[in-house]
């Protein structure tokens, strides 16, 4: 699904030890966003490993001036091996690191690519790099296009050919039959705090899913964190993995967005009436 907003996503590699400890510094735009990306790579064998980490800042320039920053807080088994049928803990919370009351939402985007297989041997196709070849990298999902090549880890002079891909797919909660086939082996495990209809009588915080985004139900005061995780884990569904699918790239990008807790700022997100109803039930939200 193509998104209507424009975004500038410069990417910068970081060390594994720093990948989960990222802070978006305060700035002037009304909107602020923070994202983390994690790449799952398997070229040979039947296990997946988180092998690359990236981060970037996404600024949404607006005419109004304000300061509002949000930060993703994660509990993540970053050094674990991702085996078929095994859940990897990846809890996602959001913290308001500005001084202003905020409303926040979270978005998940997935990308994946498979490699071509030799029909006669069942092995991955290998080739030497030619001048006309475009090389795919784990850090840039836009390079995961069909026909591009990916460098092998064991034989540096050999490359694998990408057979098919699905790039920057916005995750849809409770999607089943319409989920792209290439992404069906991967499952995001959400917390029990995710709802699809607002509960204005609830005193406990929750996340409301609406049109590709997860909205935190409560206004977050400056320096406070969401009281319930939106995501709990990621896993590979063993029953959905055929042999060619065991050799692929997979990346999940997590982005959090925050605006001031008032009607004018919320309107810039063009949410559904359900989201508006949820926030208007909070006394801290300025109508």
């Amino acid at each position: 699904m193509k998104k209507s907003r424009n975004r500038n996503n410069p990417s910068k590699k970081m060390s594994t030890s720093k990948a989960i400890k990222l802070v978006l510094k305060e700035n002037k735009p009304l909107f602020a966003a923070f994202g983390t990306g994690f790449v799952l790579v398997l070229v040979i064998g039947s296990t997946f490993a988180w092998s690359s980490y990236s981060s970037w800042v996404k600024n949404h320039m607006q005419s109004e001036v304000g300061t509002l920053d949000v930060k993703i807080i994660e509990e993540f088994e970053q050094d674990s091996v991702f085996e078929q049928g095994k859940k990897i803990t990846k809890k996602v919370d959001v913290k308001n690191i500005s001084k202003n009351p905020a409303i926040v939402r979270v978005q998940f985007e997935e990308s994946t690519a498979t490699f071509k297989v030799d029909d006669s041997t069942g092995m991955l196709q290998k080739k030497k790099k030619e001048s006309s070849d475009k090389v795919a990298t784990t850090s840039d999902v836009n390079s995961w296009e069909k026909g591009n090549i990916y460098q092998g880890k064991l034989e540096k002079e050999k490359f694998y050919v990408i057979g098919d891909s699905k790039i920057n797919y916005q995750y849809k909660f409770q999607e089943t039959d319409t989920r792209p086939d290439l992404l069906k082996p991967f499952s995001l495990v959400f917390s029990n705090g995710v709802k699809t209809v607002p509960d204005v009588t609830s005193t406990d915080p929750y996340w409301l899913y609406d049109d590709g985004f997860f909205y935190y139900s409560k206004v977050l005061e400056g320096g406070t964190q969401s009281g319930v995780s939106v995501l709990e884990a990621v896993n590979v569904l063993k029953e959905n993995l055929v042999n060619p699918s065991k050799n692929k790239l997979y990346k999940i990008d997590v982005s959090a967005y925050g605006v001031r807790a008032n009607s004018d700022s919320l309107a810039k997100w063009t949410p559904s009436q359900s989201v508006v109803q949820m926030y208007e039930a909070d006394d801290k939200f300025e109508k």
Side-chain angles (χ1 to χ4, degrees):
M1 181 180 76
K2 297 288 186 181
K3 300 184 292 299
S4 60
R5 68 180 185 280
N6 293 323
R7 302 187 306 173
N8 180 27
N9 298 342
S11 182
K12 180 181 179 181
K13 287 188 177 180
M14 298 188 69
S15 66
T16 300
S17 62
K18 294 181 180 179
I20 310 301
K21 302 176 181 178
L22 304 174
V23 177
L24 177 63
K25 294 182 179 179
E26 297 242 357
N27 53 30
K28 290 299 179 67
L30 175 68
F31 282 71
F34 177 90
T36 58
F38 299 92
V39 184
L40 194 60
V41 181
L42 174 70
V43 176
I44 296 294
S46 59
T47 59
F48 292 77
W50 294 103
S51 65
S52 179
Y53 302 83
S54 63
S55 67
W56 61 93
V57 172
K58 303 170 183 176
N59 292 321
H60 297 248
M61 303 302 294
Q62 304 292 327
S63 58
E64 295 183 58
V65 175
T67 57
L68 195 155
D69 293 341
V70 293
K71 173 186 176 183
I72 293 175
I73 306 294
E74 293 187 300
E75 177 185 337
F76 180 52
E77 298 176 41
Q78 62 183 24
D79 296 321
S80 58
V81 174
F82 211 175
E83 299 175 350
Q84 300 171 47
K86 177 183 178 182
K87 289 184 180 180
I88 300 298
T89 298
K90 183 175 172 60
K91 293 186 177 181
V92 174
D93 294 88
V94 177
K95 183 176 182 178
N96 176 11
I97 59 175
S98 76
K99 297 179 180 180
N100 302 306
I103 51 176
V104 299
R105 66 180 183 178
V106 172
Q107 175 192 30
F108 299 89
E109 287 185 322
E110 298 174 285
S111 298
T112 190
T114 61
F115 298 104
K116 289 185 177 180
V117 176
D118 189 312
D119 293 334
S120 60
T121 64
M123 303 295 289
L124 294 181
Q125 289 185 11
K126 297 179 184 178
K127 64 166 295 183
K128 289 188 176 181
K129 184 179 181 299
E130 300 176 8
S131 58
S132 59
D133 287 326
K134 295 181 179 180
V135 179
T137 63
T138 54
S139 60
D140 180 13
V141 296
N142 293 311
S143 68
W144 297 6
E145 295 181 353
K146 183 177 182 178
N148 288 359
I149 60 175
Y150 181 82
Q151 189 172 30
K153 301 300 181 183
L154 300 179
E155 301 175 83
K156 295 296 185 179
E157 74 280 4
K158 298 293 185 180
F159 290 79
Y160 303 99
V161 182
I162 293 179
D164 204 354
S165 64
K166 189 70 177 180
I167 299 171
N168 295 324
Y169 180 80
Q170 187 173 15
Y171 184 87
K172 299 177 179 63
F173 186 60
Q174 294 183 334
E175 181 183 44
T176 53
D177 295 339
T178 57
R179 184 162 171 77
D181 289 341
L182 287 179
L183 289 170
K184 285 182 178 179
F186 303 98
S187 173
L188 305 188
V189 182
F190 289 87
S191 75
N192 293 329
V194 176
K195 301 179 183 293
T196 55
V197 293
D199 184 359
V200 296
T201 64
S202 176
T203 57
D204 295 325
Y206 61 91
W207 293 87
L208 178 65
Y209 174 78
D210 182 74
D211 194 26
F213 291 91
F214 297 81
Y215 295 80
Y216 188 62
S217 65
K218 303 295 183 182
V219 171
L220 284 178
E221 296 288 353
T224 63
Q225 181 177 322
S226 55
V228 58
S229 298
V230 56
L231 187 69
E232 293 288 333
V234 183
N235 68 351
V236 176
L237 302 178
K238 189 172 184 178
E239 61 271 22
N240 286 338
L241 274 179
V242 295
N243 286 335
S245 296
K246 291 180 181 178
N247 306 283
K248 65 195 309 179
L249 302 173
Y250 174 78
K251 182 175 185 179
I252 177 173
D253 290 333
V254 187
S255 301
Y257 305 84
V259 295
R260 291 177 183 267
N262 58 54
S263 296
D264 289 340
S265 296
L266 175 60
K268 296 180 184 296
W269 280 345
T270 61
S272 71
Q273 189 57 38
S274 293
V275 176
V276 175
Q277 177 188 3
M278 177 181 70
Y279 285 129
E280 288 184 344
D282 191 329
D283 294 337
K284 296 179 181 179
F285 183 80
E286 298 179 11
K287 300 180 180 62

